[in-house]
Amino acid sequence: MRTTSDIELPEGVRLGDDRLINLTEPARRKVEALLEKEKEPSFLRVGISGGGCNGLSYKMKFVPEARKGDILVPFGDAKVLVDSKSALYLKGTNLDYSDALISGGFKFSNPNATSSCSCGESFSI
């Protein structure tokens, strides 16, 4: 492992910043709260996969470790991993969180998307 600014990076993992993906303060707090419930220290993996009503879908899951080729974007205790392929689609994306009863949850605001579905979970470029 190599260390960059007090963050240990596994071999093959690069350090990114909020120009790739940015978590708003409410999103950061929610991710940190969810991470506390995980049984082992983990990361939030944010990625893109084919599918959804507009062709590409956002995916989020907790993973125990980084993989070679990942980009690590730290936000306090909330550490986000993005694979290099997804990074091409996510660059400049803002991830927000709302606890509103209607339309609450995580919301992506992606400047690269030319269109998105009404639920906000899929998009096209």
Side-chain angles (χ1 to χ4, degrees), residues 10 13 43 45 63-68 70 81:
V13 175
F43 303 89
R45 178 172 295 284
V63 295
E65 59 190 29
R67 296 188 299 231
K68 186 175 183 177
D70 281 343
L81 293 173

Side-chain angles (χ1 to χ4, degrees), residues 21 27 29 36 46 61-62 67-68 73-75 94 99 103 107 124:
I21 187 166
R29 284 193 311 265
E36 283 182 24
V46 177
K61 67 179 178 178
F62 290 109
R67 296 188 299 231
K68 186 175 183 177
V73 184
F75 296 93
N94 197 49
D99 58 4
S103 299
K107 300 291 181 201
S124 63

Side-chain angles (χ1 to χ4, degrees), residues 39-54:
K39 293 191 183 344
E40 57 185 77
S42 59
F43 303 89
L44 174 65
R45 178 172 295 284
V46 177
I48 303 296
S49 67
C53 45
N54 268 336

Side-chain angles (χ1 to χ4, degrees), residues 64-99:
E65 59 190 29
R67 296 188 299 231
K68 186 175 183 177
D70 281 343
I71 302 167
L72 172 66
V73 184
F75 296 93
D77 290 337
K79 293 177 179 54
V80 178
L81 293 173
V82 177
D83 65 88
S84 56
K85 184 177 178 184
S86 294
L88 299 171
Y89 299 103
L90 288 171
K91 187 175 181 181
T93 294
N94 197 49
L95 181 58
D96 194 13
Y97 180 80
S98 169
D99 58 4

